[in-house]
PDB file of all heavy atoms in Angstrom:
ATOM      1  N   THR A 327     -30.464   7.903  -0.018  1.00 98.00           N
ATOM      2  CA  THR A 327     -29.152   7.953   0.674  1.00 98.00           C
ATOM      3  C   THR A 327     -29.172   9.046   1.750  1.00 98.00           C
ATOM      4  O   THR A 327     -30.171   9.600   2.004  1.00 98.00           O
ATOM      5  CB  THR A 327     -28.080   8.291  -0.425  1.00 98.00           C
ATOM      6  OG1 THR A 327     -26.818   7.981   0.153  1.00 98.00           O
ATOM      7  CG2 THR A 327     -28.121   9.692  -0.899  1.00 98.00           C
ATOM      8  N   GLY A 328     -28.017   9.180   2.463  1.00 95.00           N
ATOM      9  CA  GLY A 328     -27.894  10.164   3.573  1.00 95.00           C
ATOM     10  C   GLY A 328     -28.417   9.410   4.799  1.00 95.00           C
ATOM     11  O   GLY A 328     -28.967   8.317   4.823  1.00 95.00           O
ATOM     12  N   GLY A 329     -28.175  10.072   5.980  1.00 94.00           N
ATOM     13  CA  GLY A 329     -28.431   9.383   7.293  1.00 94.00           C
ATOM     14  C   GLY A 329     -29.816   8.838   7.444  1.00 94.00           C
ATOM     15  O   GLY A 329     -30.037   7.728   7.880  1.00 94.00           O
ATOM     16  N   ILE A 330     -30.805   9.623   6.998  1.00 97.00           N
ATOM     17  CA  ILE A 330     -32.242   9.153   7.047  1.00 97.00           C
ATOM     18  C   ILE A 330     -32.495   8.129   5.948  1.00 97.00           C
ATOM     19  O   ILE A 330     -33.050   7.089   6.095  1.00 97.00           O
ATOM     20  CB  ILE A 330     -33.202  10.360   6.942  1.00 97.00           C
ATOM     21  CG1 ILE A 330     -33.022  11.321   8.118  1.00 97.00           C
ATOM     22  CG2 ILE A 330     -34.606   9.807   6.894  1.00 97.00           C
ATOM     23  CD1 ILE A 330     -33.774  12.623   8.039  1.00 97.00           C
ATOM     24  N   GLY A 331     -32.053   8.476   4.667  1.00 98.00           N
ATOM     25  CA  GLY A 331     -32.340   7.626   3.534  1.00 98.00           C
ATOM     26  C   GLY A 331     -31.715   6.248   3.634  1.00 98.00           C
ATOM     27  O   GLY A 331     -32.282   5.284   3.236  1.00 98.00           O
ATOM     28  N   GLU A 332     -30.475   6.217   4.266  1.00 97.00           N
ATOM     29  CA  GLU A 332     -29.824   4.951   4.383  1.00 97.00           C
ATOM     30  C   GLU A 332     -30.257   4.046   5.563  1.00 97.00           C
ATOM     31  O   GLU A 332     -30.206   2.896   5.569  1.00 97.00           O
ATOM     32  CB  GLU A 332     -28.291   5.205   4.674  1.00 97.00           C
ATOM     33  CG  GLU A 332     -27.613   5.770   3.401  1.00 97.00           C
ATOM     34  CD  GLU A 332     -26.262   6.365   3.781  1.00 97.00           C
ATOM     35  OE1 GLU A 332     -25.561   5.831   4.669  1.00 97.00           O
ATOM     36  OE2 GLU A 332     -25.812   7.249   3.054  1.00 97.00           O
ATOM     37  N   ASN A 333     -30.899   4.730   6.576  1.00 97.00           N
ATOM     38  CA  ASN A 333     -31.277   4.040   7.857  1.00 97.00           C
ATOM     39  C   ASN A 333     -32.705   3.912   8.177  1.00 97.00           C
ATOM     40  O   ASN A 333     -33.029   3.084   8.991  1.00 97.00           O
ATOM     41  CB  ASN A 333     -30.559   4.715   9.005  1.00 97.00           C
ATOM     42  CG  ASN A 333     -28.948   4.546   8.900  1.00 97.00           C
ATOM     43  OD1 ASN A 333     -28.432   3.504   8.877  1.00 97.00           O
ATOM     44  ND2 ASN A 333     -28.380   5.727   8.718  1.00 97.00           N
ATOM     45  N   SER A 334     -33.549   4.780   7.600  1.00 98.00           N
ATOM     46  CA  SER A 334     -34.893   4.789   8.186  1.00 98.00           C
ATOM     47  C   SER A 334     -35.880   4.035   7.213  1.00 98.00           C
ATOM     48  O   SER A 334     -36.365   4.558   6.175  1.00 98.00           O
ATOM     49  CB  SER A 334     -35.424   6.221   8.342  1.00 98.00           C
ATOM     50  OG  SER A 334     -36.780   6.172   8.726  1.00 98.00           O
ATOM     51  N   ALA A 335     -36.173   2.797   7.638  1.00 98.00           N
ATOM     52  CA  ALA A 335     -37.177   1.971   6.886  1.00 98.00           C
ATOM     53  C   ALA A 335     -38.504   2.615   6.867  1.00 98.00           C
ATOM     54  O   ALA A 335     -39.287   2.633   5.939  1.00 98.00           O
ATOM     55  CB  ALA A 335     -37.222   0.569   7.411  1.00 98.00           C
ATOM     56  N   LEU A 336     -38.818   3.330   8.009  1.00 98.00           N
ATOM     57  CA  LEU A 336     -40.112   3.978   8.177  1.00 98.00           C
ATOM     58  C   LEU A 336     -40.282   5.186   7.195  1.00 98.00           C
ATOM     59  O   LEU A 336     -41.274   5.162   6.509  1.00 98.00           O
ATOM     60  CB  LEU A 336     -40.271   4.523   9.633  1.00 98.00           C
ATOM     61  CG  LEU A 336     -41.610   5.263   9.876  1.00 98.00           C
ATOM     62  CD1 LEU A 336     -42.744   4.316   9.918  1.00 98.00           C
ATOM     63  CD2 LEU A 336     -41.548   6.194  11.065  1.00 98.00           C
ATOM     64  N   ILE A 337     -39.287   5.989   7.141  1.00 98.00           N
ATOM     65  CA  ILE A 337     -39.456   7.112   6.252  1.00 98.00           C
ATOM     66  C   ILE A 337     -39.550   6.625   4.745  1.00 98.00           C
ATOM     67  O   ILE A 337     -40.316   7.126   3.904  1.00 98.00           O
ATOM     68  CB  ILE A 337     -38.289   8.086   6.335  1.00 98.00           C
ATOM     69  CG1 ILE A 337     -38.249   8.724   7.791  1.00 98.00           C
ATOM     70  CG2 ILE A 337     -38.316   9.258   5.284  1.00 98.00           C
ATOM     71  CD1 ILE A 337     -39.463   9.420   8.230  1.00 98.00           C
ATOM     72  N   ARG A 338     -38.812   5.593   4.399  1.00 98.00           N
ATOM     73  CA  ARG A 338     -38.812   5.059   3.018  1.00 98.00           C
ATOM     74  C   ARG A 338     -40.213   4.529   2.699  1.00 98.00           C
ATOM     75  O   ARG A 338     -40.793   4.683   1.745  1.00 98.00           O
ATOM     76  CB  ARG A 338     -37.712   4.017   2.858  1.00 98.00           C
ATOM     77  CG  ARG A 338     -36.268   4.620   2.887  1.00 98.00           C
ATOM     78  CD  ARG A 338     -35.257   3.534   2.409  1.00 98.00           C
ATOM     79  NE  ARG A 338     -35.289   2.306   3.253  1.00 98.00           N
ATOM     80  CZ  ARG A 338     -34.263   1.967   4.146  1.00 98.00           C
ATOM     81  NH1 ARG A 338     -33.271   2.743   4.281  1.00 98.00           N
ATOM     82  NH2 ARG A 338     -34.374   0.852   4.795  1.00 98.00           N
ATOM     83  N   GLU A 339     -40.756   3.752   3.754  1.00 98.00           N
ATOM     84  CA  GLU A 339     -41.999   3.062   3.489  1.00 98.00           C
ATOM     85  C   GLU A 339     -43.121   4.135   3.396  1.00 98.00           C
ATOM     86  O   GLU A 339     -43.934   4.054   2.435  1.00 98.00           O
ATOM     87  CB  GLU A 339     -42.318   2.192   4.822  1.00 98.00           C
ATOM     88  CG  GLU A 339     -43.680   1.462   4.613  1.00 98.00           C
ATOM     89  CD  GLU A 339     -44.033   0.641   5.819  1.00 98.00           C
ATOM     90  OE1 GLU A 339     -43.082   0.292   6.656  1.00 98.00           O
ATOM     91  OE2 GLU A 339     -45.155   0.287   6.000  1.00 98.00           O
ATOM     92  N   LEU A 340     -43.044   5.083   4.258  1.00 98.00           N
ATOM     93  CA  LEU A 340     -44.205   6.147   4.226  1.00 98.00           C
ATOM     94  C   LEU A 340     -44.088   6.971   2.890  1.00 98.00           C
ATOM     95  O   LEU A 340     -45.172   7.374   2.404  1.00 98.00           O
ATOM     96  CB  LEU A 340     -44.025   7.085   5.457  1.00 98.00           C
ATOM     97  CG  LEU A 340     -44.358   6.495   6.801  1.00 98.00           C
ATOM     98  CD1 LEU A 340     -44.087   7.422   7.892  1.00 98.00           C
ATOM     99  CD2 LEU A 340     -45.794   5.940   6.901  1.00 98.00           C
ATOM    100  N   THR A 341     -42.904   7.147   2.406  1.00 98.00           N
ATOM    101  CA  THR A 341     -42.735   7.914   1.232  1.00 98.00           C
ATOM    102  C   THR A 341     -43.232   7.107   0.052  1.00 98.00           C
ATOM    103  O   THR A 341     -44.016   7.605  -0.868  1.00 98.00           O
ATOM    104  CB  THR A 341     -41.159   8.294   1.025  1.00 98.00           C
ATOM    105  OG1 THR A 341     -40.800   8.980   2.172  1.00 98.00           O
ATOM    106  CG2 THR A 341     -41.046   9.166  -0.246  1.00 98.00           C
ATOM    107  N   VAL A 342     -42.826   5.832  -0.078  1.00 98.00           N
ATOM    108  CA  VAL A 342     -43.107   4.998  -1.269  1.00 98.00           C
ATOM    109  C   VAL A 342     -44.598   4.779  -1.307  1.00 98.00           C
ATOM    110  O   VAL A 342     -45.208   4.687  -2.387  1.00 98.00           O
ATOM    111  CB  VAL A 342     -42.225   3.779  -1.304  1.00 98.00           C
ATOM    112  CG1 VAL A 342     -42.721   2.868  -2.421  1.00 98.00           C
ATOM    113  CG2 VAL A 342     -40.786   4.102  -1.464  1.00 98.00           C
ATOM    114  N   GLN A 343     -45.194   4.600  -0.142  1.00 98.00           N
ATOM    115  CA  GLN A 343     -46.672   4.418  -0.023  1.00 98.00           C
ATOM    116  C   GLN A 343     -47.428   5.514  -0.837  1.00 98.00           C
ATOM    117  O   GLN A 343     -48.487   5.312  -1.469  1.00 98.00           O
ATOM    118  CB  GLN A 343     -47.220   4.634   1.381  1.00 98.00           C
ATOM    119  CG  GLN A 343     -47.368   3.315   2.050  1.00 98.00           C
ATOM    120  CD  GLN A 343     -47.658   3.531   3.546  1.00 98.00           C
ATOM    121  OE1 GLN A 343     -48.047   4.619   3.968  1.00 98.00           O
ATOM    122  NE2 GLN A 343     -47.495   2.565   4.339  1.00 98.00           N
ATOM    123  N   ARG A 344     -46.844   6.766  -0.834  1.00 98.00           N
ATOM    124  CA  ARG A 344     -47.497   7.867  -1.564  1.00 98.00           C
ATOM    125  C   ARG A 344     -47.094   7.897  -3.116  1.00 98.00           C
ATOM    126  O   ARG A 344     -47.521   8.822  -3.834  1.00 98.00           O
ATOM    127  CB  ARG A 344     -46.970   9.169  -0.922  1.00 98.00           C
ATOM    128  CG  ARG A 344     -47.549   9.321   0.499  1.00 98.00           C
ATOM    129  CD  ARG A 344     -46.864  10.519   1.094  1.00 98.00           C
ATOM    130  NE  ARG A 344     -47.305  10.708   2.500  1.00 98.00           N
ATOM    131  CZ  ARG A 344     -48.277  11.527   2.751  1.00 98.00           C
ATOM    132  NH1 ARG A 344     -48.857  12.288   1.848  1.00 98.00           N
ATOM    133  NH2 ARG A 344     -48.702  11.652   4.012  1.00 98.00           N
ATOM    134  N   LEU A 345     -46.335   6.990  -3.483  1.00 97.00           N
ATOM    135  CA  LEU A 345     -45.789   7.008  -4.914  1.00 97.00           C
ATOM    136  C   LEU A 345     -46.401   5.902  -5.806  1.00 97.00           C
ATOM    137  O   LEU A 345     -45.780   5.524  -6.822  1.00 97.00           O
ATOM    138  CB  LEU A 345     -44.315   7.015  -4.941  1.00 97.00           C
ATOM    139  CG  LEU A 345     -43.671   8.212  -4.281  1.00 97.00           C
ATOM    140  CD1 LEU A 345     -42.093   7.998  -4.086  1.00 97.00           C
ATOM    141  CD2 LEU A 345     -43.843   9.429  -5.073  1.00 97.00           C
ATOM    142  N   GLN A 346     -47.537   5.313  -5.329  1.00 93.00           N
ATOM    143  CA  GLN A 346     -48.016   4.187  -6.107  1.00 93.00           C
ATOM    144  C   GLN A 346     -48.380   4.600  -7.573  1.00 93.00           C
ATOM    145  O   GLN A 346     -48.262   3.828  -8.457  1.00 93.00           O
ATOM    146  CB  GLN A 346     -49.246   3.655  -5.383  1.00 93.00           C
ATOM    147  CG  GLN A 346     -48.963   2.792  -4.228  1.00 93.00           C
ATOM    148  CD  GLN A 346     -50.192   2.409  -3.375  1.00 93.00           C
ATOM    149  OE1 GLN A 346     -51.297   2.735  -3.747  1.00 93.00           O
ATOM    150  NE2 GLN A 346     -49.961   1.823  -2.219  1.00 93.00           N
ATOM    151  N   ALA A 347     -48.848   5.848  -7.696  1.00 93.00           N
ATOM    152  CA  ALA A 347     -49.278   6.301  -8.989  1.00 93.00           C
ATOM    153  C   ALA A 347     -48.083   6.304  -9.992  1.00 93.00           C
ATOM    154  O   ALA A 347     -48.285   6.255 -11.155  1.00 93.00           O
ATOM    155  CB  ALA A 347     -49.845   7.747  -8.954  1.00 93.00           C
ATOM    156  N   LEU A 348     -46.848   6.278  -9.394  1.00 95.00           N
ATOM    157  CA  LEU A 348     -45.606   6.282 -10.282  1.00 95.00           C
ATOM    158  C   LEU A 348     -45.198   4.848 -10.553  1.00 95.00           C
ATOM    159  O   LEU A 348     -44.072   4.648 -11.168  1.00 95.00           O
ATOM    160  CB  LEU A 348     -44.477   7.041  -9.713  1.00 95.00           C
ATOM    161  CG  LEU A 348     -44.683   8.626  -9.562  1.00 95.00           C
ATOM    162  CD1 LEU A 348     -43.480   9.211  -8.822  1.00 95.00           C
ATOM    163  CD2 LEU A 348     -44.890   9.183 -10.888  1.00 95.00           C
ATOM    164  N   GLY A 349     -45.905   3.896 -10.006  1.00 93.00           N
ATOM    165  CA  GLY A 349     -45.547   2.440 -10.230  1.00 93.00           C
ATOM    166  C   GLY A 349     -44.460   1.957  -9.315  1.00 93.00           C
ATOM    167  O   GLY A 349     -43.748   1.015  -9.646  1.00 93.00           O
ATOM    168  N   LEU A 350     -44.340   2.632  -8.156  1.00 97.00           N
ATOM    169  CA  LEU A 350     -43.328   2.183  -7.223  1.00 97.00           C
ATOM    170  C   LEU A 350     -43.975   1.269  -6.172  1.00 97.00           C
ATOM    171  O   LEU A 350     -44.912   1.680  -5.538  1.00 97.00           O
ATOM    172  CB  LEU A 350     -42.653   3.363  -6.536  1.00 97.00           C
ATOM    173  CG  LEU A 350     -41.861   4.344  -7.456  1.00 97.00           C
ATOM    174  CD1 LEU A 350     -41.417   5.549  -6.664  1.00 97.00           C
ATOM    175  CD2 LEU A 350     -40.643   3.589  -8.061  1.00 97.00           C
ATOM    176  N   VAL A 351     -43.345   0.057  -6.017  1.00 97.00           N
ATOM    177  CA  VAL A 351     -43.907  -0.892  -5.026  1.00 97.00           C
ATOM    178  C   VAL A 351     -42.676  -1.453  -4.157  1.00 97.00           C
ATOM    179  O   VAL A 351     -41.784  -1.929  -4.661  1.00 97.00           O
ATOM    180  CB  VAL A 351     -44.654  -2.108  -5.618  1.00 97.00           C
ATOM    181  CG1 VAL A 351     -45.264  -2.908  -4.543  1.00 97.00           C
ATOM    182  CG2 VAL A 351     -45.637  -1.633  -6.677  1.00 97.00           C
ATOM    183  N   LEU A 352     -42.844  -1.179  -2.789  1.00 98.00           N
ATOM    184  CA  LEU A 352     -41.767  -1.533  -1.916  1.00 98.00           C
ATOM    185  C   LEU A 352     -41.871  -3.024  -1.539  1.00 98.00           C
ATOM    186  O   LEU A 352     -42.973  -3.576  -1.337  1.00 98.00           O
ATOM    187  CB  LEU A 352     -41.929  -0.666  -0.662  1.00 98.00           C
ATOM    188  CG  LEU A 352     -40.747  -0.568   0.246  1.00 98.00           C
ATOM    189  CD1 LEU A 352     -39.590   0.144  -0.400  1.00 98.00           C
ATOM    190  CD2 LEU A 352     -41.167   0.171   1.530  1.00 98.00           C
ATOM    191  N   ASP A 353     -40.632  -3.667  -1.390  1.00 98.00           N
ATOM    192  CA  ASP A 353     -40.559  -4.972  -0.823  1.00 98.00           C
ATOM    193  C   ASP A 353     -40.263  -4.737   0.671  1.00 98.00           C
ATOM    194  O   ASP A 353     -39.209  -4.369   1.105  1.00 98.00           O
ATOM    195  CB  ASP A 353     -39.392  -5.714  -1.482  1.00 98.00           C
ATOM    196  CG  ASP A 353     -39.317  -7.175  -0.882  1.00 98.00           C
ATOM    197  OD1 ASP A 353     -39.390  -7.384   0.261  1.00 98.00           O
ATOM    198  OD2 ASP A 353     -39.185  -8.096  -1.737  1.00 98.00           O
ATOM    199  N   GLN A 354     -41.314  -4.998   1.482  1.00 98.00           N
ATOM    200  CA  GLN A 354     -41.316  -4.688   2.937  1.00 98.00           C
ATOM    201  C   GLN A 354     -40.053  -5.324   3.614  1.00 98.00           C
ATOM    202  O   GLN A 354     -39.422  -4.707   4.425  1.00 98.00           O
ATOM    203  CB  GLN A 354     -42.513  -5.091   3.694  1.00 98.00           C
ATOM    204  CG  GLN A 354     -43.850  -4.427   3.151  1.00 98.00           C
ATOM    205  CD  GLN A 354     -43.928  -2.931   3.522  1.00 98.00           C
ATOM    206  OE1 GLN A 354     -43.071  -2.479   4.280  1.00 98.00           O
ATOM    207  NE2 GLN A 354     -44.830  -2.214   2.959  1.00 98.00           N
ATOM    208  N   GLU A 355     -39.851  -6.613   3.298  1.00 98.00           N
ATOM    209  CA  GLU A 355     -38.782  -7.287   3.972  1.00 98.00           C
ATOM    210  C   GLU A 355     -37.463  -6.742   3.611  1.00 98.00           C
ATOM    211  O   GLU A 355     -36.658  -6.486   4.535  1.00 98.00           O
ATOM    212  CB  GLU A 355     -38.886  -8.790   3.560  1.00 98.00           C
ATOM    213  CG  GLU A 355     -38.468  -9.681   4.694  1.00 98.00           C
ATOM    214  CD  GLU A 355     -38.657 -11.135   4.225  1.00 98.00           C
ATOM    215  OE1 GLU A 355     -39.682 -11.551   3.813  1.00 98.00           O
ATOM    216  OE2 GLU A 355     -37.594 -11.812   4.174  1.00 98.00           O
ATOM    217  N   ARG A 356     -37.164  -6.473   2.397  1.00 98.00           N
ATOM    218  CA  ARG A 356     -35.888  -5.885   1.982  1.00 98.00           C
ATOM    219  C   ARG A 356     -35.769  -4.541   2.530  1.00 98.00           C
ATOM    220  O   ARG A 356     -34.607  -4.162   2.979  1.00 98.00           O
ATOM    221  CB  ARG A 356     -35.800  -5.882   0.486  1.00 98.00           C
ATOM    222  CG  ARG A 356     -35.592  -7.156  -0.225  1.00 98.00           C
ATOM    223  CD  ARG A 356     -35.424  -7.002  -1.680  1.00 98.00           C
ATOM    224  NE  ARG A 356     -35.372  -8.221  -2.376  1.00 98.00           N
ATOM    225  CZ  ARG A 356     -35.186  -8.296  -3.715  1.00 98.00           C
ATOM    226  NH1 ARG A 356     -35.249  -7.173  -4.477  1.00 98.00           N
ATOM    227  NH2 ARG A 356     -35.128  -9.467  -4.276  1.00 98.00           N
ATOM    228  N   ASN A 357     -36.789  -3.828   2.606  1.00 98.00           N
ATOM    229  CA  ASN A 357     -36.713  -2.466   3.194  1.00 98.00           C
ATOM    230  C   ASN A 357     -36.237  -2.487   4.601  1.00 98.00           C
ATOM    231  O   ASN A 357     -35.473  -1.706   5.019  1.00 98.00           O
ATOM    232  CB  ASN A 357     -38.080  -1.733   3.045  1.00 98.00           C
ATOM    233  CG  ASN A 357     -38.009  -0.295   3.516  1.00 98.00           C
ATOM    234  OD1 ASN A 357     -37.059   0.437   3.245  1.00 98.00           O
ATOM    235  ND2 ASN A 357     -39.078   0.108   4.252  1.00 98.00           N
ATOM    236  N   GLN A 358     -36.792  -3.469   5.326  1.00 98.00           N
ATOM    237  CA  GLN A 358     -36.461  -3.511   6.782  1.00 98.00           C
ATOM    238  C   GLN A 358     -34.975  -3.925   6.962  1.00 98.00           C
ATOM    239  O   GLN A 358     -34.307  -3.554   8.012  1.00 98.00           O
ATOM    240  CB  GLN A 358     -37.286  -4.570   7.504  1.00 98.00           C
ATOM    241  CG  GLN A 358     -38.791  -4.186   7.624  1.00 98.00           C
ATOM    242  CD  GLN A 358     -39.032  -2.973   8.520  1.00 98.00           C
ATOM    243  OE1 GLN A 358     -38.194  -2.620   9.411  1.00 98.00           O
ATOM    244  NE2 GLN A 358     -40.028  -2.160   8.273  1.00 98.00           N
ATOM    245  N   GLN A 359     -34.387  -4.565   5.981  1.00 97.00           N
ATOM    246  CA  GLN A 359     -33.034  -5.096   6.095  1.00 97.00           C
ATOM    247  C   GLN A 359     -31.951  -3.966   5.797  1.00 97.00           C
ATOM    248  O   GLN A 359     -30.796  -4.224   5.980  1.00 97.00           O
ATOM    249  CB  GLN A 359     -32.824  -6.275   5.218  1.00 97.00           C
ATOM    250  CG  GLN A 359     -33.530  -7.536   5.708  1.00 97.00           C
ATOM    251  CD  GLN A 359     -33.707  -8.539   4.626  1.00 97.00           C
ATOM    252  OE1 GLN A 359     -33.298  -8.287   3.421  1.00 97.00           O
ATOM    253  NE2 GLN A 359     -34.308  -9.675   4.890  1.00 97.00           N
TER     254      GLN A 359
END
Side-chain angles (χ1 to χ4, degrees):
T327 194
I330 298 173
E332 291 167 29
N333 295 299
S334 177
L336 177 75
I337 299 301
R338 294 190 301 251
E339 180 183 342
L340 295 175
T341 306
V342 175
Q343 263 173 18
R344 292 168 179 267
L345 296 169
Q346 281 171 7
L348 294 179
L350 296 174
V351 187
L352 197 67
D353 183 315
Q354 299 288 351
E355 214 178 302
R356 287 185 183 177
N357 184 41
Q358 291 298 333
Q359 288 160 358

